[in-house]
Amino acid sequence: MLEFIRIKNFKTLLNAQFSLSQLSLFTGLNGMGKSSLIQTLLLLRQSYDKGTILNKGLLLNGDFIDLGTGKDVLSRDAENDGILFTLKHSNDDTPQHYEFTALSNQDLMPYKKGINSNINEALLQKTILFSQNFRYLCADRVSPTSLHKASEYYVNDLNSLGKNGEYAVHFIALHGKKDIPIPELKHSKSRAASLEANVNAWMSDISPNLRISATVMPQMNATQLSYSFEQGNEVTSEFKPQNVGFGLSYVLPVVTCILSAKQGDLIIIENPESHLHPAGQSSIGKLCALAAHNGVQLIIESHSDHFLNGIRVAVKEKIAEPEDVSIFFLERNAKQKTHSSDVTDLKIDLNGRIDHWPKGFFDEWDNQLDKLL
């Protein structure tokens, strides 16, 4: 498990530290640095995939993200041109230090000269971030469409759903009949232990009695997705995703990613609750908490109080433990001299209560209610 990250001189994270748990939730107002933590990991991973991380440095533009050049990512108030990432894993006593020089007009940041880096191939091979046990779903997931991309290489060789979830339907089509790797993620209403049955069951918490059909179309190198609904003892005809709405298409890769995960996997998801009804947002929070309690590490960015409350209720109902969850609230004081983010680490107790509630932390409901009253 990735248990600690330190970030120095990267964007608004002038000097920030994060002690992670199985489920780490990052929240805060827009532009406060939530995405910067995730971008740190994505930059390291894409640099590994492109073969630059061992001796060349950090690649700022690649398959996961495009951030520009060194001047775009160096903190405005950095005292020097060095950007430092430190990662600590639970199975390794020695932290990994990555220190780069931010060259203003280059998108490859070389390792800082004179730094004795401990990075080597053997170390990278046992790092979860650089393994096939890593998955990432960005906020910009695939929109409703009947035809989805197909790739045996991504689905089987890379164990990937694609950063936009574009291969989730193909994954279901190929692996839907297999049992989910973690039996504890089986939905109480699921009729079987298969991935397909449990995707249907968890998605039915979002849209009642939903049934998903994923079919490979080899002649088109694509997969076809359709939805139907149980109506009493009957099943409706199939609906195109375009006629059902954005929410189901946006969340399908999230549900598929979590249910197909194995113990020890690392999953990063941006805004898993996008386009969902509040009840559906809470259900996804519950699923994330359940997966975290059963050995999947999740790093989540969210703006949803319903998602947060789904996690809190899961802890209260003993679906997860308080130590499974870390909550980080990022904010920036406009009056301070440096353009940097402050990080508040919030704790959750056995009853799902949070130890303190900073101004701006999911308090807008109360703010607006006060105005109405």
Side-chain angles (χ1 to χ4, degrees):
M1 186 184 85
L2 182 59
E3 64 178 21
F4 176 82
I5 301 176
R6 182 190 178 193
I7 302 171
K8 188 174 181 179
N9 292 344
F10 182 67
K11 301 175 74 174
T12 63
L13 301 181
L14 193 59
N15 191 0
Q17 300 183 95
F18 305 90
S19 295
L20 306 181
S21 299
Q22 288 294 138
L23 172 55
S24 298
L25 174 63
F26 293 83
T27 187
L29 298 178
N30 298 101
M32 294 296 120
K34 303 183 303 299
S35 298
S36 298
L37 178 280
I38 289 176
Q39 289 170 354
T40 295
L41 301 177
L42 297 180
L43 287 173
L44 290 171
R45 175 64 192 231
Q46 75 182 17
S47 301
Y48 174 80
D49 289 344
K50 294 298 184 181
T52 68
I53 197 64
L54 266 179
N55 46 36
K56 292 184 178 180
L58 194 71
L59 190 62
L60 295 179
N61 301 314
D63 294 336
F64 285 125
I65 47 172
D66 295 319
L67 296 184
T69 62
K71 65 180 175 57
D72 297 309
V73 298
L74 182 67
S75 295
R76 295 292 182 263
D77 294 286
E79 295 181 355
N80 54 57
D81 61 0
I83 291 179
L84 172 68
F85 303 150
T86 298
L87 276 58
K88 171 72 171 59
H89 295 80
S90 56
N91 62 349
D92 195 342
D93 293 333
T94 305
Q96 300 174 16
H97 300 288
Y98 303 84
E99 189 161 5
F100 309 98
T101 300
L103 302 178
S104 61
N105 296 316
Q106 295 187 24
D107 63 349
L108 178 66
M109 298 198 306
Y111 279 105
K112 199 164 184 62
K113 292 181 180 180
I115 298 298
N116 182 22
S117 174
N118 64 338
I119 307 304
N120 55 65
E121 184 63 41
L123 185 68
L124 298 182
Q125 287 181 354
K126 65 179 182 179
T127 300
I128 185 67
L129 179 62
F130 306 128
S131 74
Q132 289 191 5
N133 300 100
F134 166 80
R135 286 176 172 174
Y136 165 60
L137 291 174
C138 71
D140 185 20
R141 295 187 284 278
V142 289
S143 300
T145 181
S146 297
L147 294 181
H148 288 248
K149 289 183 177 181
S151 173
E152 293 271 352
Y153 175 67
Y154 267 85
V155 169
N156 291 328
D157 291 82
L158 299 183
N159 188 37
S160 172
L161 306 185
K163 73 171 186 178
N164 305 108
E166 63 268 33
Y167 301 115
V169 176
H170 194 199
F171 193 99
I172 295 171
L174 293 183
H175 301 291
K177 303 301 180 184
K178 299 177 183 177
D179 288 355
I180 56 176
I182 302 176
E184 290 82 1
L185 299 188
K186 182 177 181 293
H187 195 284
S188 60
K189 296 181 180 179
S190 178
R191 299 168 181 173
S194 68
L195 174 64
E196 181 181 73
N198 281 279
V199 167
N200 283 334
W202 282 99
M203 293 287 287
S204 290
D205 283 352
I206 297 165
S207 186
N209 302 323
L210 179 71
R211 294 292 172 264
I212 293 164
S213 175
T215 307
V216 179
M217 305 178 68
Q219 69 277 15
M220 300 178 63
N221 191 33
T223 53
Q224 187 174 39
L225 173 67
S226 61
Y227 300 120
S228 58
F229 297 86
E230 289 187 0
Q231 200 70 39
N233 295 324
E234 304 294 330
V235 178
T236 67
S237 58
E238 293 185 345
F239 294 89
K240 292 181 178 179
Q242 300 94 309
N243 295 322
V244 176
F246 268 77
L248 296 181
S249 292
Y250 255 60
V251 80
L252 179 60
V254 175
V255 174
T256 304
C257 185
I258 295 172
L259 290 179
S260 61
K262 301 180 291 296
Q263 289 185 349
D265 282 2
L266 171 62
I267 299 175
I268 298 174
I269 306 176
E270 296 173 351
N271 305 118
E273 76 285 348
S274 292
H275 297 290
L276 291 183
H277 181 276
Q281 297 178 35
S282 298
S283 179
I284 296 301
K286 174 184 176 180
L287 176 58
C288 288
L290 180 62
H293 184 63
N294 287 282
V296 180
Q297 186 174 20
L298 295 109
I299 295 176
I300 306 288
E301 178 189 354
S302 176
H303 294 281
S304 170
D305 49 352
H306 304 295
F307 178 82
L308 170 64
N309 289 337
I311 296 171
R312 296 172 64 194
V313 171
V315 171
K316 183 174 182 179
E317 293 179 347
K318 305 198 182 307
I319 294 172
E321 299 294 333
E323 57 267 25
D324 294 330
V325 182
S326 291
I327 303 170
F328 299 98
F329 176 65
L330 284 82
E331 57 186 331
R332 192 173 64 245
N333 185 348
K335 296 181 180 180
Q336 65 187 13
K337 294 182 179 179
T338 59
H339 182 74
S340 61
S341 299
D342 297 322
V343 181
T344 303
D345 187 355
L346 307 176
K347 303 299 182 183
I348 190 168
D349 68 14
L350 284 167
N351 292 311
R353 295 175 300 195
I354 296 174
D355 58 351
H356 64 290
W357 211 272
K359 180 178 175 57
F361 177 71
F362 294 118
D363 55 6
E364 193 57 27
W365 172 272
D366 293 332
N367 294 340
Q368 296 301 319
L369 189 61
D370 285 344
K371 293 179 181 178
L372 289 170
L373 296 177

